């Protein structure tokens, strides 16, 4: 494994930076999903996604017949690293469109599903949300109760989903529902199926959930006998759990380089902010910033290793979980140090007059969810223990 990039990859990195500088507003810091998918921010998100699609960057690693460029994993890593560091909006086409829904469809979807959905994702024209969690099914995801029953050539879906990021702007939904009964299946993991649901279908109701920072990216979604064509079933009925596990592996690879890049951007902004204050940094703050700088580089190299494993034909599983734990907790530590650097200003309400202060405050509040999404740190550590170390449950 080599920790260096070719001249062509370095040139591509510079091209990606030039794109962001040219297409994003002056002084852009990146607002996170809450800003990407807000009423004010979504027009920029949609426009940027279309431009990324025109350049063939959104899904550059996908096969050409589905809108990709068949790019190498290292080219994808360079792209993801720069987009995350610069806060470029729209790179995942909602939540999961590029990161795990597209790759999962390539593995388990029908050819008709691939032709229908992959090119619109790659071109920046179709946004997605992922509907797994329910009020009574979070970490214990196999307990989900949203149901789908086959009737007259269509599945009628009824139930509720919660914590659905980007559900309010999504065109389509990647949905897990129970098509069998738990008491008839050998395990509660049986009888779960995956569906592709058009969010404009009658009976779909989206209600906003405002997070602790007062912003809206999360949603509840209610399904009232939503009629979904039978051909929108992904793979075989009752085998959705296995498809979900594979999709979750993709999802857990995704945060590595993105979270590390966000932490690195926060570190750089905090250092710039502290240098601009009259007193500069105290010895204790300098020590903490230096420690975080080392941790950021560790996370970066761990993420590079995941990409290298994939380039060798390996599928990271417990390795991705280990990286997800590390980087999600890293970004929280970085946000804590950032707030410490602000001092008493951190207690003030966000001010539009100081974009960096507002940005750091918002990152501090929003990063709380990073150790929850894609599986909590506790779940990830269990995966590392059982799959990686072979420990008993």
């Amino acid at each position: 494994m080599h920790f260096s990039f070719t001249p062509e990859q370095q040139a591509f990195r510079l091209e990606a930076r030039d794109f962001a500088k040219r297409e994003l507003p002056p002084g852009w810091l990146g607002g996170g999903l809450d800003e990407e998918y807000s009423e004010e921010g979504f027009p920029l998100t949609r426009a940027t996604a279309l431009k990324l699609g025109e350049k063939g960057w959104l899904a550059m690693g996908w096969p050409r017949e589905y809108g990709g460029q068949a790019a190498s994993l290292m080219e994808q890593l360079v792209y993801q690293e720069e987009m995350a560091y610069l806060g470029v909006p729209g790179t995942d086409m909602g939540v999961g469109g590029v990161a795990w829904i597209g790759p999962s469809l390539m593995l388990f979807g029908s050819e008709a599903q691939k032709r229908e959905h992959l090119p619109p994702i790659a071109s920046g024209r179709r946004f997605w949300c992922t509907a797994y969690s329910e009020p009574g099914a979070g970490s214990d995801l196999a307990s989900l109760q949203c149901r789908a029953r086959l009737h007259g050539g269509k599945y009628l879906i009824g139930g509720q989903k919660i914590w659905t990021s980007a559900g309010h702007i999504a065109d389509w939904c990647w949905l897990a529902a129970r098509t069998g009964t738990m008491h008839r299946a050998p395990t509660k993991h049986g009888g779960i199926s995956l569906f592709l649901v058009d969010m404009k279908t009658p009976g779909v109701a989206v209600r906003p959930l405002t997070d602790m920072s007062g912003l809206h990216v999360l949603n509840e979604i209610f399904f009232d006998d939503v009629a979904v064509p039978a051909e929108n079933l992904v793979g075989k009925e009752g085998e959705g759990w296995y498809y979900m596990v594979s999709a979750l592996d993709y999802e857990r690879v995704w945060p590595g380089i993105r979270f590390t890049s966000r932490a690195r951007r926060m570190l750089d902004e905090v250092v710039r902010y502290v240098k601009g204050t009259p007193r500069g940094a105290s010895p204790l703050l300098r020590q903490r910033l230096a420690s975080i700088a080392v941790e950021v580089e560790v996370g970066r190299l761990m993420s590079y290793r995941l990409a290298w494993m994939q380039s060798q034909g390996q599928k990271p599983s417990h390795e991705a979980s280990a990286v997800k734990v590390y980087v999600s907790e890293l970004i929280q530590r970085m946000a804590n140090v950032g707030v410490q650097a602000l001092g008493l200003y951190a207690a003030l309400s966000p001010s539009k007059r100081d974009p960096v202060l507002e940005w750091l405050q918002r990152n501090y509040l929003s990063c709380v969810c990073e150790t929850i999404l894609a599986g909590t740190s506790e779940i990830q550590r269990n995966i590392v223990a059982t799959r990686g170390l072979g420990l008993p449950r």
Side-chain angles (χ1 to χ4, degrees), residues 21-279:
K21 184 178 180 179
R22 184 175 63 253
E23 300 295 341
L24 299 177
W28 178 262
L29 293 167
L33 293 181
D34 44 32
E35 187 167 315
E36 284 189 39
Y37 301 129
S38 68
E39 185 176 350
E40 299 80 14
F42 190 53
L44 176 63
T45 299
R46 186 181 289 279
T48 306
L50 286 170
K51 290 173 183 176
L52 290 169
E54 288 173 5
K55 295 183 75 67
W57 288 359
L58 270 175
M60 60 192 309
W62 294 5
R64 296 184 187 278
E65 61 264 34
Y66 301 132
Q69 294 186 348
S72 71
L73 282 159
M74 295 310 292
E75 288 175 296
Q76 295 174 66
L77 184 145
V78 169
Y79 162 76
Q80 291 171 0
E81 189 169 33
E82 291 304 315
M83 295 298 106
Y85 180 87
L86 298 167
V88 177
T91 57
D92 198 25
M93 292 307 297
V95 173
V98 173
W100 59 85
I101 295 170
S104 297
L105 272 180
M106 279 185 250
L107 285 177
F108 308 116
S110 67
E111 189 58 33
Q113 289 171 345
K114 296 174 190 178
R115 297 288 178 186
E116 164 67 21
H117 295 290
L118 295 180
I121 296 174
S123 61
R125 293 182 288 112
R126 186 168 294 174
F127 287 79
W128 286 77
C129 64
T130 299
Y132 289 161
S133 297
E134 299 178 6
S139 292
D140 186 17
L141 190 54
S143 296
L144 63 86
Q145 294 298 310
C146 181
R147 296 192 174 275
R149 57 187 177 88
L150 189 60
H151 178 75
K154 293 186 176 182
Y155 283 93
L156 301 181
I157 297 177
Q160 177 188 0
K161 295 293 180 178
I162 199 167
W163 316 127
T164 308
S165 300
H168 58 299
I169 60 89
D171 303 302
W172 282 75
C173 177
W174 174 261
L175 173 99
R178 190 167 293 282
T179 47
T181 57
M182 289 178 67
H183 69 273
R184 290 181 181 175
T187 69
K188 64 182 178 182
H189 303 86
I192 296 174
S193 300
L194 270 174
F195 296 91
L196 310 174
V197 181
D198 187 336
M199 292 293 284
K200 297 185 295 295
T201 308
V204 178
V206 181
R207 298 181 186 175
L209 290 173
T210 303
D211 65 21
M212 64 189 294
S213 61
L215 299 169
H216 171 211
V217 67
L218 301 168
N219 303 272
E220 293 179 282
I221 305 182
F222 297 86
F223 300 87
D224 184 10
D225 274 349
V226 175
V228 175
E231 56 265 29
N232 285 18
L233 171 72
V234 178
K236 295 181 180 179
E237 183 179 301
E239 295 189 6
W241 178 260
Y242 307 104
Y243 309 150
M244 290 168 65
V245 169
S246 178
L248 284 167
D249 282 338
Y250 282 116
E251 185 175 357
R252 288 161 183 161
V253 169
W254 171 78
I257 199 63
R258 298 185 69 85
F259 284 10
T260 304
S261 299
R262 281 177 52 201
R264 185 161 54 90
R265 179 65 182 274
M266 273 195 279
L267 175 65
D268 290 345
E269 294 298 333
V270 169
V271 169
R272 274 192 283 269
Y273 174 80
V274 171
K275 284 182 176 179
T277 59
R279 292 187 177 181

